[in-house]
Amino acid sequence: MLEEGSGFYSQPDDIQLIILLPIPDSSPVVPNVDWEQVVIKAEQFLAQTLPDVEVPISTVQYPVEGDLGQTVQSVAAIMQSTSDRRVLCLMATPSPDARFSADPQLQAAEEQSFQLNKRLRDSFRGGYAVTLDWNNLQEASDLPFIINNALLGGLFRLNAQPWKLCNLPFESEPIEGNYFLGLVGDVEASTVLSLIHI
């Protein structure tokens, strides 16, 4: 969990987040997910990791069955109103394995989300789109982990840089540097519990 005021060393200020979620009653295959919590967790993560910049966040729902024209127009309108920003898109979709499902409605839902992604791809040039398997979003306790990891990867691809530490005491010789994505420590035990670096 990030502490208040923590964030990336380099925080790009030209990003907007578009969250694409299925319309819950547009198909019986849409799982029972607290979609409002998906949006809240994304907002919280961006507020913590990019505390020094303002990131516009928009949520657009798409039909799992039927015409995608209105959804595409809504995304285009958002992008036109913030044309100076790159898009980081978070899209909840069926698992890619759904295309091989015996359920024709689930196959159709996977095809629909694929077509929407394809239609928006050119609009997102210079940005990045992350898809989330909507089945994994059903467990509320897993939401922060899944959403944070997805956004972390997307932000990194859009040039957000985590904190950089050089010449660490446990290195035997000087190095160019390590980028730390996460550092969790127990001060009382003087131990590092989790360390992820590249």
Side-chain angles (χ1 to χ4, degrees), residues 25-186:
D25 59 358
S26 64
S27 170
V29 300
V30 177
N32 185 20
V33 173
D34 187 342
W35 300 109
E36 184 178 348
Q37 279 301 306
V38 171
V39 175
I40 289 171
K41 296 302 181 190
E43 291 172 341
Q44 289 174 342
F45 181 75
L46 287 182
Q48 291 176 322
T49 53
L50 301 178
D52 299 330
V53 298
E54 183 177 334
V55 180
I57 301 173
S58 304
T59 302
V60 178
Q61 291 186 312
Y62 71 93
V64 175
E65 296 177 358
D67 183 52
L68 290 169
Q70 182 61 48
T71 302
V72 172
Q73 289 177 10
S74 296
V75 172
I78 292 167
M79 294 181 64
Q80 187 173 16
S81 68
T82 52
S83 58
D84 58 336
R85 291 181 176 269
R86 295 176 294 161
V87 171
L88 173 55
C89 178
L90 199 62
M91 182 177 180
T93 69
S95 163
D97 294 339
R99 71 184 60 177
F100 307 113
S101 171
D103 183 345
Q105 287 183 306
L106 191 54
Q107 284 185 356
E110 194 281 330
E111 175 64 20
Q112 179 88 325
S113 64
F114 175 80
Q115 289 302 323
L116 178 58
N117 197 328
K118 184 178 178 182
R119 288 177 68 174
L120 295 174
R121 195 174 299 148
D122 284 344
S123 304
F124 295 161
R125 284 201 191 282
Y128 190 75
V130 184
T131 57
L132 300 174
D133 181 340
W134 64 23
N135 291 322
N136 295 335
L137 302 175
Q138 295 180 84
E139 184 59 51
S141 61
D142 292 341
L143 277 182
F145 173 77
I146 293 168
I147 293 169
N148 293 2
N149 277 348
L151 290 174
L152 185 68
L155 288 170
F156 189 72
R157 286 171 176 85
L158 293 175
N159 301 321
Q161 294 181 11
W163 293 100
K164 182 176 180 180
L165 306 177
C166 296
N167 302 327
L168 300 168
F170 51 81
E171 297 288 350
S172 58
E173 58 186 50
I175 55 173
E176 290 184 12
N178 282 330
Y179 286 97
F180 284 80
L181 299 181
L183 183 63
V184 180
D186 184 339

